[in-house]
Amino acid sequence: MQQSHRVVLDEPITWRERGFPDIGGTVGSVREHRWTLTDLSLPMLVLRDDALEHNLQAMADYCERHGVELAPHGKTHLSPQLWWRQQDAGAWAVTVASVAQAKVFAASGARRILIANEVIAAGDLQWIAEVQRDGAEVLLCVDSHAAVDRIIEHTRDAETPVQLLIELGYRGGRAGCRTTEQALSLAQRISGERGLRLRGVEGFEGVMPGEGDGQRRAIAGYLESAAQLLDAMISDGYVEEPIATFGGSAHFDLVIGAFTRRGWSHDADVRVILRSGCYLTHDHGLYANSSPTLDGTELEPAFELWAQVISTPEPGLAIANFGRRDAPFDAGLPMPLTVGSPDARRQASGITIERVSDQHAHLRITAGTALAVGDLIAFGISHPCTAFDKWRLIPVVDPNYRVVDAVKTYF
């Protein structure tokens, strides 16, 4: 086993890991304890191992069929263990949003990191220069001459060129050049700097305004502009070994359509890289309603939040023992799935979450629906990114809800 893996697997399980029995051991020894769900304190967020494996293989096969690479966004889970599984399934790189996140994956063995964001702080840029000197490959984004000035200033002694992607944005969006002319001016500047290497274009289409077909048309137009920009950069000789990287978890099919079905200037071989992060766990809400199928193959929700009814204080109301500290609520409240233990469950019909407070979920139950103090309820969640960041250690369970692993996060 690599020494970098030991950094994570040798971490002790203590009282700090909520919900786990405080009997010692390490993250890497979880399987040996042969715990089941009922050995853990509730509420507990769990990951279904069979769904994780299905999603890993389905996405790997999809990318291979379409001739694209995958650099999954590590900020979704910020877990080296899950990144190792993605890497084993063929991921080209890990994507992050900051140098702080990059350090998590570099310390645990990642050798190619895509920072899908601008990096301008002196210490961050010096770290990039240092980690590249040690053999890692780091790509980062720029959208202004001012940012290029800072990169040059703080990496002037770097032994290897800093690899840059020009970020293309859109009006009202976040970072990124707003016009092709601005981006080409930047490309010309970068290509003339000895300590810099321009690799291509980057952007994120997932938060463009609009809904439904209207949003999809706007995204398609944005991606077409990015493809034209990259082709102009290739034609003008500004970029070698070109990269185009877009694609969150909702519209990656449009990215494939924009960048893989065209001829490039000088017959360039463009590497198209998706950065989807939420495909690995999927969900029952946000991405269940927005992610495309993988050529007909459905992703499976891997997250379940298990909780217990602790009070039935009045007719039609039950209180479960989880709240905002335990489950995401920014993109919809959790959804009741089943009632009962893992081996004796019924569908959770007639139950909805009315609201959540810090540690309580207020369940509205319809007439004829029975819930009693002590009942177990499994919930689906919406938005994996804001589920992972609430838990330091998350059990991974097999179909019989035996704990076969535990995933450490580093938020």
Side-chain angles (χ1 to χ4, degrees), residues 59 70-73 95 202-206 222-223 244-256 259 272-277:
M59 193 61 156
L70 180 64
H73 212 316
T95 296
E202 179 274 348
F204 179 56
E205 74 293 338
Y222 164 67
L223 294 172
T245 174
F246 293 77
S249 298
H251 305 289
F252 49 79
D253 57 327
L254 296 180
V255 176
I256 289 171
F259 289 97
V272 180
I273 303 166
L274 306 181
R275 304 197 308 273
S276 311

Side-chain angles (χ1 to χ4, degrees), residues 21-357:
D22 186 12
I23 59 173
T26 64
V27 171
S29 68
V30 164
R31 180 185 288 269
E32 301 170 11
H33 294 288
R34 305 178 67 86
W35 289 321
T36 65
L37 183 67
T38 54
D39 293 315
L40 308 176
S41 297
L42 301 183
M44 178 62 78
L45 188 71
V46 305
L47 284 166
R48 294 175 43 233
D49 192 54
D50 55 350
L52 288 175
E53 195 57 38
H54 167 83
N55 295 342
L56 278 167
Q57 194 57 55
M59 193 61 156
D61 292 346
Y62 178 80
C63 290
E64 184 177 6
R65 283 195 303 273
H66 289 279
V68 300
E69 305 279 9
L70 180 64
H73 212 316
K75 62 94 176 172
T76 297
H77 50 66
L78 213 59
S79 169
Q81 292 158 277
L82 291 178
W83 156 243
W84 298 336
R85 292 180 69 160
Q86 292 171 311
Q87 187 177 47
D88 289 344
W92 181 79
V94 62
T95 296
V96 296
S98 68
V99 167
Q101 294 173 4
K103 289 179 179 180
V104 171
F105 294 102
S108 53
R111 304 306 291 164
R112 184 184 287 127
I113 301 170
L114 196 166
I115 305 177
N117 208 350
E118 280 66 25
V119 179
I120 61 169
D124 288 346
L125 290 166
Q126 289 161 8
W127 178 84
I128 290 171
E130 291 167 6
V131 78
Q132 288 199 147
R133 185 172 57 246
D134 293 337
E137 182 179 357
V138 181
L139 298 92
L140 59 148
C141 299
V142 291
D143 68 355
S144 69
H145 288 275
V148 172
D149 290 341
R150 294 185 67 91
I151 292 169
I152 293 171
E153 177 186 358
H154 298 300
T155 63
R156 63 177 70 255
D157 297 326
E159 297 178 6
T160 55
V162 179
Q163 301 192 71
L164 300 178
L165 299 163
I166 291 181
E167 181 162 20
L168 184 65
Y170 51 87
R171 185 174 179 83
R174 27 195 227 196
C177 296
R178 294 305 197 249
T179 68
T180 297
E181 292 74 22
Q182 181 186 1
L184 286 174
S185 170
L186 202 55
Q188 183 180 31
R189 161 86 184 281
I190 293 168
S191 67
E193 296 286 351
R194 182 181 58 83
L196 306 180
R197 185 184 180 204
L198 182 59
R199 295 298 304 275
V201 297
E202 179 274 348
F204 179 56
E205 74 293 338
V207 292
M208 289 194 75
E211 296 181 358
D213 291 342
Q215 184 192 41
R216 298 266 294 178
R217 286 191 296 272
I219 290 171
Y222 164 67
L223 294 172
E224 177 60 26
S225 296
Q228 292 177 10
L229 168 63
L230 179 59
D231 197 56
M233 290 163 54
I234 295 169
S235 179
D236 290 340
Y238 296 148
V239 59
E240 298 177 4
E241 299 182 283
I243 285 172
T245 174
F246 293 77
S249 298
H251 305 289
F252 49 79
D253 57 327
L254 296 180
V255 176
I256 289 171
F259 289 97
T260 66
R261 301 167 191 167
R262 64 192 311 129
W264 299 98
S265 293
H266 308 307
D267 295 321
D269 183 15
V270 174
R271 188 185 296 273
V272 180
I273 303 166
L274 306 181
R275 304 197 308 273
S276 311
C278 295
Y279 81 91
L280 180 60
T281 61
H282 201 49
D283 67 12
H284 285 88
L286 178 63
Y287 291 107
N289 295 321
S290 63
S291 290
T293 65
L294 306 180
D295 298 332
T297 299
E298 299 280 354
L299 295 168
E300 297 179 3
F303 269 130
E304 289 180 357
L305 177 72
W306 283 77
Q308 199 162 27
V309 176
I310 58 171
S311 178
T312 55
E314 59 190 63
L317 178 66
I319 305 297
N321 63 339
F322 79 90
R324 288 187 292 253
R325 303 292 179 91
D326 312 297
F329 56 92
D330 59 304
L333 295 175
M335 292 135 283
L337 301 175
T338 62
V339 178
S341 63
D343 55 354
R345 295 198 273 176
R346 68 179 189 273
Q347 292 299 307
S349 56
I351 304 170
T352 57
I353 297 184
E354 187 174 64
R355 60 189 176 92
V356 291
S357 47

Side-chain angles (χ1 to χ4, degrees), residues 11 81 175 293 387 397 408:
E11 287 218 28
Q81 292 158 277
T293 65
V397 298
K408 186 76 174 175

